[in-house]
Amino acid sequence: MTKTYTLLEVSKHNAEDDLWLVIGNATNGGPRVYDVTKYVDDHPGGAEVLMDAAGTDADDLFEDIGHSKDARTQLEAFVIGDLFEDPAEKARKAKEEEEKAAGAAAGASPMLIVVIVAVIAVAAYFAMQQK
């Protein structure tokens, strides 16, 4: 059985010689707890990067960097358990993710309109030049 930790428990492990992180979300198997203490000196981005995220939910930071498949595979060696999320918090995060995805999809529409208008303007300009 997998051990479950709260974010409060994880937050107590925020030193270079005792460093835990939470990485993961609903789209990739859920939040998991990692003890990366032994990896601090080997992290390609340096110890400072890990120290900045020590004891926190570092999923956004991890995903924003765009880690390779090899990095993700290597991370599995450090998993010590899953993050406990109370149902209300889990529902809030799910709604937040849905809103973020909907916002990203809606954000594409105005840009598409700008591109279409620009293409029409350029086409009209060239059409008028040929007359």
Side-chain angles (χ1 to χ4, degrees), residues 121-131:
V122 169
Y125 172 79
F126 283 112
M128 292 180 74
Q129 293 295 323
Q130 291 182 1
K131 287 187 177 184

Side-chain angles (χ1 to χ4, degrees), residues 76-98:
E76 290 307 306
F78 301 101
V79 68
I80 59 171
D82 294 325
L83 181 69
F84 170 78
E85 293 180 286
D86 77 89
E89 179 66 11
K90 202 172 194 175
R92 185 194 65 77
K93 282 186 178 182
K95 183 176 180 186
E96 193 175 277
E97 287 296 320
E98 282 179 24

Side-chain angles (χ1 to χ4, degrees), residues 43 45 49 58-68 71-72:
H43 187 263
V49 174
D59 185 62
D60 287 340
L61 294 171
F62 184 82
E63 294 300 336
D64 288 348
I65 296 298
H67 284 87
S68 67
R72 293 171 189 279

Side-chain angles (χ1 to χ4, degrees), residues 3 5-22 33-37 50-51 53-57 80 83:
K3 177 97 169 106
Y5 299 93
T6 65
L7 197 52
L8 179 62
E9 289 174 294
V10 172
S11 71
K12 295 175 185 176
H13 301 272
N14 60 3
E16 194 167 330
D17 63 345
D18 181 22
L19 202 158
W20 291 12
L21 303 170
V22 174
V33 179
Y34 299 86
D35 180 350
V36 294
T37 306
L50 294 177
M51 285 302 302
T56 69
D57 184 337
I80 59 171
L83 181 69

